[in-house]
Amino acid sequence: MADLESFRKELREYLEKNAPVGMRGAAGLEEGYWGGRNPKLPNPDSKRFCEMMAERGLTAPTWPKEYGGGGLGAEEVKVLEQELGRLRLPAPLTGFGLQMIGPTLLQFGTEAQKREHLPNIIQGKIRWCQGYSEPNAGSDLASLQTAAVIDGDELVLNGQKVWTSYGDLSDCMFLLVRTDGSAKKQQGITFVLLDMNQPGVEVRPIKLISGASPFCESFFTNARAKLSNVIHGLGNGWTVAKALLGHERNMIGGLFGGGAGRGPKDSGLPKNALAELARAYVGDKDGRLNDATLRDRVAQLSIEHRSFLLTMQRNADGLKAGQRPGPESSIFKIYGTELNQRREELMLSIRGPQCVGWEGPGFEQSETDQTKTWLRSRGNTIEGGTSEVQLNIIAKRVLDLPD
Ligand SMILES: Cc1cc2nc3c(=O)[nH]c(=O)nc-3n(C[C@H](O)[C@H](O)[C@H](O)COP(=O)(O)OP(=O)(O)OC[C@H]3O[C@@H](n4cnc5c(N)ncnc54)[C@H](O)[C@@H]3O)c2cc1C
């Protein structure tokens, strides 16, 4: 206990002294900092804040110290979160490096691979993207066809990936390739890390109905990856791929539950933003919303959101204590994403006709933004594996039901 208090004291002093002024109060106000060779700065101080936190391993607080992580236990991480919260500082770093490939490397990487890649992730130097899906391999991922053959100490890649989130902003990709076309489909797959800054890699953004372009098609024409960047050996990629998906599903569930990873902009606490929004549009009397049906819907969704938040928090505590995500991460994924879609729909109906605008006078910025976030939320139940696929996993691997 005394150790924990001295940790708190020292951390508080470090943050008070070093946290850039521009980051204080910024928690929940903007998208997170993703790092990279040419980083996008949601806030001018994001990079500096990330660097000062990384100096003490606090961008990856639970990762081992020998790779640059914080080496903290679950109780210390809680203190870190409380102290960040005290100054309303956001998480210093986010992204697929920290939340997907990093934890996977800790599990499957060789010592040399961990030493090469983990410090760069922790320091926010490299931004990662995920090359799993292909035009004919989504839910049936093991049907992937991007081929790789050995040439000296490299793999030469040819093929195409699709729906590569932030492929145009990333430096490196972790991807699945087929290294043995004659083996059973899961067995011919290899998991490899690729530097995207080379002539054999072309990335084209895809535009969505929301108007945003968060993902890309990626083409490989004799692209080269080092054999030393194959994770867990040639032909063993399927095991690595499934473990990474566990981390991904936890991350996606956490985005809407406020557990692992960055919390949602509105956690429902201490102010209930849904209720505030409803109050602004339908008014209230003596603190009660004027529309009784809406009041009921807001209360119900807030209860569900709060329960999910607490469950995710319990799960996040387990992960901090070294537990690995299992197939139950599918439950968080499906529940969190569907809850978020219902929440977006409720916000849309609260705003009513004000939410059918796209741009121009007559609409507040927050109203046109709402239309776009509602459209974006449709993808939540597809990315990281569709809801139907999650139900299959829960049936087989959690409930042990027959095929
Ligand atoms: C916003 C967003 C971001 C994404 N980011 C990435 C990324 O960074 N990297 C990446 O590799 N991929 C990414 N994806 C791709 C995503 O993983 C795939 O879209 C997803 O796995 C589904 O594959 P598909 O689109 O080919 O659909 P399909 O697999 O063709 O599925 C079509 C429909 O059939 C249903 N279906 C298929 N098989 C079954 C079954 N066995 N049982 C019941 N129903 C079934 C599905 O549920 C779905 O409704 C992203 C997708 C989205 C929407």
Side-chain angles (χ1 to χ4, degrees):
M1 220 37 193
D3 280 356
L4 210 55
E5 279 321 299
S6 68
F7 170 71
R8 183 190 296 280
K9 184 168 174 285
E10 204 205 330
L11 177 65
R12 187 173 291 187
E13 282 168 10
Y14 185 67
L15 293 176
E16 292 278 12
K17 185 163 171 238
N18 298 296
V21 175
M23 299 305 290
R24 301 179 191 215
L29 294 180
E30 57 216 8
E31 63 169 301
Y33 177 63
W34 289 64
R37 289 178 184 140
N38 301 300
K40 243 181 96 184
L41 298 179
N43 177 313
D45 285 332
S46 308
K47 186 164 183 276
R48 203 148 60 83
F49 180 48
C50 173
E51 284 165 356
M52 74 145 263
M53 294 298 275
E55 242 173 66
R56 296 193 162 201
L58 298 177
T59 48
T62 59
W63 293 8
K65 280 192 167 174
E66 64 256 44
Y67 309 120
L72 302 186
E75 290 304 313
E76 290 167 309
V77 174
K78 261 192 206 155
V79 169
L80 170 63
E81 284 165 357
Q82 286 161 359
E83 292 304 311
L84 287 173
R86 228 183 114 253
L87 297 179
R88 294 208 33 79
L89 289 163
L93 182 67
T94 187
F96 298 171
L98 210 53
Q99 286 166 333
M100 290 201 250
I101 186 62
T104 308
L105 282 174
L106 280 170
Q107 193 177 349
F108 291 100
T110 61
E111 194 52 32
Q113 288 167 339
K114 290 182 203 171
R115 290 199 183 274
E116 180 179 352
H117 298 293
L118 295 178
N120 285 336
I121 294 174
I122 292 166
Q123 291 160 28
K125 288 188 175 163
I126 295 290
R127 182 164 178 169
W128 288 87
C129 64
Q130 177 187 34
Y132 272 29
S133 306
E134 295 184 5
N136 292 312
S139 303
D140 184 15
L141 184 59
S143 291
L144 62 97
Q145 290 302 325
T146 294
V149 292
I150 298 176
D151 180 26
D153 58 358
E154 291 181 322
L155 279 177
V156 180
L157 278 63
N158 282 285
Q160 184 196 345
K161 296 287 171 184
V162 72
W163 317 129
T164 322
S165 293
Y166 313 115
D168 51 344
L169 301 174
S170 298
D171 310 301
C172 290
M173 179 188 281
F174 49 89
L175 76 162
L176 299 174
V177 292
R178 186 159 298 287
T179 40
D180 183 353
S182 62
K184 249 181 82 186
K185 67 179 185 178
Q186 278 87 354
Q187 285 163 9
I189 293 174
T190 294
F191 189 109
V192 67
L193 312 179
L194 176 87
D195 195 318
M196 298 171 77
N197 184 19
Q198 56 169 302
V201 179
E202 190 193 344
V203 176
R204 296 183 200 149
I206 302 173
K207 205 156 194 173
L208 296 189
I209 48 171
S210 65
S213 188
F215 50 27
C216 305
E217 298 176 284
S218 312
F219 297 88
F220 312 105
T221 313
N222 294 324
R224 290 186 167 259
K226 289 192 263 174
L227 267 178
S228 60
N229 274 328
V230 166
I231 310 301
H232 199 45
L234 286 167
N236 297 326
W238 192 243
T239 307
V240 188
K242 282 191 295 183
L244 184 137
L245 282 171
H247 293 295
E248 179 176 10
R249 287 167 186 159
N250 248 357
M251 174 191 80
I252 296 175
L255 286 176
F256 308 115
R262 261 184 89 230
K265 286 188 180 164
D266 153 44
S267 65
L269 290 172
K271 254 190 177 176
N272 183 326
L274 259 185
E276 293 299 313
L277 184 72
R279 192 164 282 129
Y281 279 79
V282 304
D284 66 345
K285 187 160 184 269
D286 304 326
R288 285 153 62 92
L289 292 177
N290 283 335
D291 180 328
T293 310
L294 184 59
R295 193 161 67 224
D296 188 41
R297 289 176 72 193
V298 167
Q300 185 58 40
L301 212 130
S302 304
I303 292 166
E304 290 174 52
H305 190 236
R306 177 98 171 98
S307 312
F308 184 53
L309 192 138
L310 292 171
T311 310
M312 281 304 294
Q313 190 58 58
R314 202 173 64 232
N315 179 57
D317 287 348
L319 293 178
K320 280 172 212 152
Q323 206 173 289
R324 293 207 172 106
E328 64 280 5
S329 58
S330 292
I331 300 175
F332 296 129
K333 203 272 170 178
I334 196 169
Y335 190 83
T337 53
E338 295 197 350
L339 182 66
N340 188 53
Q341 286 180 346
R342 286 194 282 126
R343 187 169 177 276
E344 286 289 332
E345 271 154 26
L346 181 54
M347 291 201 279
L348 205 70
S349 61
I350 290 172
R351 293 188 200 261
Q354 282 309 108
C355 243
V356 292
W358 195 252
E359 59 187 4
F363 301 103
E364 301 281 336
Q365 176 78 38
S366 63
E367 291 168 342
T368 51
D369 284 352
Q370 180 81 70
T371 315
K372 288 165 189 148
T373 56
W374 166 66
L375 287 169
R376 171 64 184 86
S377 74
R378 308 316 298 163
N380 296 156
T381 44
I382 302 173
E383 58 199 311
T386 65
S387 288
E388 290 77 14
V389 165
Q390 305 314 311
L391 288 173
N392 285 346
I393 294 171
I394 294 164
K396 275 192 219 159
R397 294 179 55 207
V398 179
L399 302 175
D400 214 10
L401 296 176
D403 276 340

